[in-house]
Amino acid sequence: FPETLSNPRLMSVEKTLNVVMNQNVSLSCHSDSGSPPVTYTLFKYNQKVSTLNRPDLTPSLFNLTINSASDVGEYKCKAENKVSSGGKYSNSLNFTLIEPISKPVLSSPTSQAKKGQNVTLSCLSENGSLPITYVFFKGKKTISPLVKMHKREAAVIFLYISSSSDFGTYKCRAENSFRNNTKYSNSFNFTLAEERSHSQPLIISLGLILLLFIIGFALAVPFFIIPSYKASE
């Protein structure tokens, strides 16, 4: 006697649901038991995508191309034979669209620092699928643990400028689940802020006093020197 089909299983042939734009993917729909022939129909958001007929219980393969973000919606398949009223539906699958990250930007609120000062560095990739993992470097040496950001926010570290060696070159690195897509930032250098000498205010004051004395002397010449010269004539 004809047997009712079991609920089909929908699987990704690539064994992953992470996809990139313009990628070709294959979905397998298969009922383990039931009487053939079997008609398999693939749906995306309850809209029919494609229908395939199988004369036996071998899997049916649906080939897709991810052309846009709308192609990563929910997929299901339905299996039907002559005795399966209404058909049997599979589990659902959802692809995740993975985008490569952009080159991160390393920045700080200040580019000048003094010894003994606390400073911050921020690293941010404007584009790319989340989460994004950041790490900071000074030269080739890692100076931070891995920082995983699940929001489009910059990773921030705090530094203490204790010596002249802390004014070296800094960089950061960003990566996400997109394969072979590690990006390094621009270089960033702190410069030593000029410290005003304690003697500068005194020098400036003495200079102003001397300038005022010269101006006063120049103004006094017409009143004292010229009358004296006329009296002697």
Side-chain angles (χ1 to χ4, degrees), residues 3 18 37 55 116 124 144 151 155 162 164 184-185 188 192 205-206 221:
E3 294 181 19
N18 293 332
L124 175 65
S144 76
K151 295 181 179 180
S162 61
S164 57
Y184 286 86
S185 73
F188 188 91
L192 180 63
S205 299
L206 291 175
V221 167

Side-chain angles (χ1 to χ4, degrees), residues 66-79:
I66 305 300
N67 292 315
S68 67
S70 63
D71 293 327
V72 297
E74 181 186 71
Y75 287 87
K76 283 186 177 184
C77 72
K78 181 175 72 171

Side-chain angles (χ1 to χ4, degrees), residues 103-107 169-172 184-188:
K103 180 179 178 178
V105 175
L106 183 64
S107 61
T169 300
Y170 293 87
K171 281 191 175 185
C172 68
Y184 286 86
S185 73
N186 54 293
S187 299
F188 188 91

Side-chain angles (χ1 to χ4, degrees), residues 49-127:
V49 176
S50 181
T51 298
L52 296 173
N53 295 309
R54 299 297 302 171
D56 49 32
L57 292 179
T58 55
S60 185
L61 294 179
F62 296 94
N63 298 313
L64 307 170
T65 301
I66 305 300
N67 292 315
S68 67
S70 63
D71 293 327
V72 297
E74 181 186 71
Y75 287 87
K76 283 186 177 184
C77 72
K78 181 175 72 171
E80 298 175 278
N81 65 2
K82 293 181 180 180
V83 295
S84 297
S85 177
K88 295 293 183 72
Y89 285 87
S90 72
N91 55 294
S92 61
L93 288 182
N94 284 276
F95 289 108
T96 299
L97 185 62
I98 303 298
E99 296 178 281
I101 54 175
S102 58
K103 180 179 178 178
V105 175
L106 183 64
S107 61
S108 175
T110 178
S111 60
Q112 293 187 329
K114 302 175 183 178
K115 292 181 182 179
Q117 181 178 344
N118 292 305
V119 294
T120 61
L121 281 175
S122 301
C123 185
L124 175 65
S125 286
E126 291 285 355
N127 301 301

Side-chain angles (χ1 to χ4, degrees), residues 28-50:
S28 169
C29 188
H30 177 222
S31 287
D32 291 324
S33 61
S35 298
V38 184
T39 298
Y40 293 101
T41 304
L42 183 68
F43 294 87
K44 184 186 72 177
Y45 290 134
N46 298 321
Q47 293 185 346
K48 186 185 294 186
V49 176
S50 181

Side-chain angles (χ1 to χ4, degrees), residues 187-198:
S187 299
F188 188 91
N189 290 74
F190 290 104
T191 57
L192 180 63
E194 295 183 5
E195 297 185 20
R196 295 181 62 181
S197 171
H198 294 296

